[in-house]
Amino acid sequence: QVQLVESGGGLVQPGGSLRLSCATSLSIFSINVMGWYRQAPGKERELVARITIGGSTNYPDSVKGRFTISRDNAKNTVYLQMNSLKPEDTAVYYCNAIILLGFKGEYWGQGTQVTVSS
């Protein structure tokens, strides 16, 4: 079983920054794609950032230039640096992992709340 544990959420004022962390129970080199998704009340879950095993990243236009996904291979951890936060970024943020070999499947963390409010 693959476990993903998020941390780093909280309350921040508009324009502020937060960094989310996602620690994996598996070597990060065993995970083909890692991503961050978010879900606001009454809305569908949406992709926020994604990084492949090769290091390629992609972001939706809503966060491009403000959010950055990165990873620490030695710590088996993926980060989401969020800058210039807006109230509409308020949501529960989930870590996601897609594995194509071995522990094949898609895995989710428990989620961490991010609230952007003055």
mmCIF file of all heavy atoms in Angstrom, residues 65-82:
data_model
loop_
_atom_site.group_PDB
_atom_site.id
_atom_site.type_symbol
_atom_site.label_atom_id
_atom_site.label_comp_id
_atom_site.label_asym_id
_atom_site.label_seq_id
_atom_site.Cartn_x
_atom_site.Cartn_y
_atom_site.Cartn_z
ATOM 1 N N GLY A 65 2.578 30.574 -13.011
ATOM 2 C CA GLY A 65 3.318 31.766 -12.594
ATOM 3 C C GLY A 65 3.221 32.060 -11.114
ATOM 4 O O GLY A 65 3.983 32.879 -10.585
ATOM 5 N N ARG A 66 2.295 31.421 -10.428
ATOM 6 C CA ARG A 66 2.139 31.634 -8.981
ATOM 7 C C ARG A 66 2.508 30.388 -8.172
ATOM 8 O O ARG A 66 3.029 30.501 -7.068
ATOM 9 C CB ARG A 66 0.690 32.017 -8.648
ATOM 10 C CG ARG A 66 0.216 33.300 -9.316
ATOM 11 C CD ARG A 66 -1.138 33.745 -8.767
ATOM 12 N NE ARG A 66 -2.184 32.764 -9.023
ATOM 13 C CZ ARG A 66 -2.922 32.202 -8.058
ATOM 14 N NH1 ARG A 66 -2.726 32.525 -6.787
ATOM 15 N NH2 ARG A 66 -3.880 31.330 -8.370
ATOM 16 N N PHE A 67 2.211 29.216 -8.725
ATOM 17 C CA PHE A 67 2.471 27.958 -8.024
ATOM 18 C C PHE A 67 3.642 27.237 -8.688
ATOM 19 O O PHE A 67 3.791 27.275 -9.913
ATOM 20 C CB PHE A 67 1.251 27.039 -8.079
ATOM 21 C CG PHE A 67 0.077 27.493 -7.244
ATOM 22 C CD1 PHE A 67 0.022 28.760 -6.678
ATOM 23 C CD2 PHE A 67 -0.990 26.641 -7.035
ATOM 24 C CE1 PHE A 67 -1.055 29.165 -5.920
ATOM 25 C CE2 PHE A 67 -2.082 27.033 -6.281
ATOM 26 C CZ PHE A 67 -2.116 28.295 -5.726
ATOM 27 N N THR A 68 4.422 26.533 -7.871
ATOM 28 C CA THR A 68 5.537 25.749 -8.383
ATOM 29 C C THR A 68 5.577 24.395 -7.681
ATOM 30 O O THR A 68 5.589 24.336 -6.448
ATOM 31 C CB THR A 68 6.873 26.466 -8.156
ATOM 32 O OG1 THR A 68 6.838 27.753 -8.773
ATOM 33 C CG2 THR A 68 8.020 25.654 -8.747
ATOM 34 N N ILE A 69 5.609 23.341 -8.478
ATOM 35 C CA ILE A 69 5.747 22.000 -7.925
ATOM 36 C C ILE A 69 7.212 21.583 -8.033
ATOM 37 O O ILE A 69 7.879 21.871 -9.025
ATOM 38 C CB ILE A 69 4.820 20.989 -8.650
ATOM 39 C CG1 ILE A 69 4.822 19.642 -7.931
ATOM 40 C CG2 ILE A 69 5.180 20.836 -10.116
ATOM 41 C CD1 ILE A 69 3.744 18.681 -8.439
ATOM 42 N N SER A 70 7.703 20.923 -7.002
ATOM 43 C CA SER A 70 9.088 20.458 -7.006
ATOM 44 C C SER A 70 9.171 19.202 -6.153
ATOM 45 O O SER A 70 8.200 18.826 -5.485
ATOM 46 C CB SER A 70 10.025 21.538 -6.455
ATOM 47 O OG SER A 70 9.722 21.826 -5.099
ATOM 48 N N ARG A 71 10.330 18.580 -6.174
ATOM 49 C CA ARG A 71 10.476 17.360 -5.386
ATOM 50 C C ARG A 71 11.888 17.276 -4.807
ATOM 51 O O ARG A 71 12.832 17.815 -5.373
ATOM 52 C CB ARG A 71 10.177 16.128 -6.244
ATOM 53 C CG ARG A 71 11.172 15.908 -7.348
ATOM 54 C CD ARG A 71 10.726 14.824 -8.289
ATOM 55 N NE ARG A 71 11.759 14.566 -9.290
ATOM 56 C CZ ARG A 71 11.528 13.974 -10.456
ATOM 57 N NH1 ARG A 71 10.314 13.574 -10.757
ATOM 58 N NH2 ARG A 71 12.516 13.775 -11.297
ATOM 59 N N ASP A 72 11.969 16.592 -3.681
ATOM 60 C CA ASP A 72 13.237 16.270 -3.041
ATOM 61 C C ASP A 72 13.372 14.756 -3.097
ATOM 62 O O ASP A 72 12.716 14.042 -2.334
ATOM 63 C CB ASP A 72 13.254 16.787 -1.597
ATOM 64 C CG ASP A 72 14.593 16.588 -0.923
ATOM 65 O OD1 ASP A 72 15.285 15.595 -1.248
ATOM 66 O OD2 ASP A 72 14.947 17.407 -0.069
ATOM 67 N N ASN A 73 14.203 14.270 -4.000
ATOM 68 C CA ASN A 73 14.308 12.829 -4.214
ATOM 69 C C ASN A 73 14.813 12.110 -2.971
ATOM 70 O O ASN A 73 14.372 10.994 -2.668
ATOM 71 C CB ASN A 73 15.224 12.548 -5.397
ATOM 72 C CG ASN A 73 14.674 13.109 -6.689
ATOM 73 O OD1 ASN A 73 13.469 13.294 -6.834
ATOM 74 N ND2 ASN A 73 15.563 13.415 -7.617
ATOM 75 N N ALA A 74 15.721 12.715 -2.257
ATOM 76 C CA ALA A 74 16.297 12.070 -1.075
ATOM 77 C C ALA A 74 15.266 11.909 0.052
ATOM 78 O O ALA A 74 15.339 10.965 0.832
ATOM 79 C CB ALA A 74 17.489 12.868 -0.573
ATOM 80 N N LYS A 75 14.309 12.830 0.101
ATOM 81 C CA LYS A 75 13.283 12.791 1.145
ATOM 82 C C LYS A 75 11.980 12.172 0.667
ATOM 83 O O LYS A 75 11.020 12.079 1.439
ATOM 84 C CB LYS A 75 13.002 14.207 1.662
ATOM 85 C CG LYS A 75 14.181 14.853 2.365
ATOM 86 C CD LYS A 75 13.821 16.234 2.884
ATOM 87 C CE LYS A 75 14.999 16.857 3.623
ATOM 88 N NZ LYS A 75 14.669 18.212 4.142
ATOM 89 N N ASN A 76 11.947 11.756 -0.610
ATOM 90 C CA ASN A 76 10.710 11.200 -1.176
ATOM 91 C C ASN A 76 9.527 12.121 -0.896
ATOM 92 O O ASN A 76 8.449 11.685 -0.443
ATOM 93 C CB ASN A 76 10.431 9.797 -0.621
ATOM 94 C CG ASN A 76 11.458 8.791 -1.086
ATOM 95 O OD1 ASN A 76 11.936 8.849 -2.213
ATOM 96 N ND2 ASN A 76 11.821 7.881 -0.204
ATOM 97 N N THR A 77 9.725 13.373 -1.183
ATOM 98 C CA THR A 77 8.721 14.392 -0.871
ATOM 99 C C THR A 77 8.530 15.312 -2.067
ATOM 100 O O THR A 77 9.495 15.686 -2.735
ATOM 101 C CB THR A 77 9.151 15.214 0.364
ATOM 102 O OG1 THR A 77 9.277 14.338 1.489
ATOM 103 C CG2 THR A 77 8.131 16.293 0.689
ATOM 104 N N VAL A 78 7.291 15.657 -2.302
ATOM 105 C CA VAL A 78 6.933 16.621 -3.333
ATOM 106 C C VAL A 78 6.358 17.856 -2.657
ATOM 107 O O VAL A 78 5.616 17.730 -1.674
ATOM 108 C CB VAL A 78 5.914 16.023 -4.322
ATOM 109 C CG1 VAL A 78 5.388 17.081 -5.265
ATOM 110 C CG2 VAL A 78 6.547 14.902 -5.115
ATOM 111 N N TYR A 79 6.696 19.006 -3.198
ATOM 112 C CA TYR A 79 6.255 20.276 -2.607
ATOM 113 C C TYR A 79 5.382 21.052 -3.593
ATOM 114 O O TYR A 79 5.506 20.902 -4.805
ATOM 115 C CB TYR A 79 7.459 21.133 -2.232
ATOM 116 C CG TYR A 79 8.415 20.466 -1.289
ATOM 117 C CD1 TYR A 79 9.573 19.859 -1.756
ATOM 118 C CD2 TYR A 79 8.158 20.434 0.081
ATOM 119 C CE1 TYR A 79 10.456 19.236 -0.889
ATOM 120 C CE2 TYR A 79 9.036 19.813 0.956
ATOM 121 C CZ TYR A 79 10.183 19.219 0.464
ATOM 122 O OH TYR A 79 11.046 18.601 1.329
ATOM 123 N N LEU A 80 4.546 21.896 -3.037
ATOM 124 C CA LEU A 80 3.807 22.863 -3.841
ATOM 125 C C LEU A 80 4.008 24.224 -3.194
ATOM 126 O O LEU A 80 3.465 24.484 -2.114
ATOM 127 C CB LEU A 80 2.317 22.519 -3.908
ATOM 128 C CG LEU A 80 1.500 23.461 -4.779
ATOM 129 C CD1 LEU A 80 1.885 23.310 -6.260
ATOM 130 C CD2 LEU A 80 -0.006 23.215 -4.612
ATOM 131 N N GLN A 81 4.801 25.049 -3.840
ATOM 132 C CA GLN A 81 5.007 26.414 -3.382
ATOM 133 C C GLN A 81 3.931 27.295 -3.996
ATOM 134 O O GLN A 81 3.806 27.353 -5.220
ATOM 135 C CB GLN A 81 6.395 26.909 -3.781
ATOM 136 C CG GLN A 81 6.675 28.351 -3.375
ATOM 137 C CD GLN A 81 6.756 28.532 -1.865
ATOM 138 O OE1 GLN A 81 7.374 27.719 -1.177
ATOM 139 N NE2 GLN A 81 6.143 29.591 -1.354
ATOM 140 N N MET A 82 3.167 27.953 -3.145
ATOM 141 C CA MET A 82 2.054 28.782 -3.616
ATOM 142 C C MET A 82 2.318 30.224 -3.210
ATOM 143 O O MET A 82 2.420 30.524 -2.013
ATOM 144 C CB MET A 82 0.739 28.287 -3.000
ATOM 145 C CG MET A 82 0.452 26.824 -3.283
ATOM 146 S SD MET A 82 -1.148 26.291 -2.679
ATOM 147 C CE MET A 82 -0.903 26.419 -0.909
#
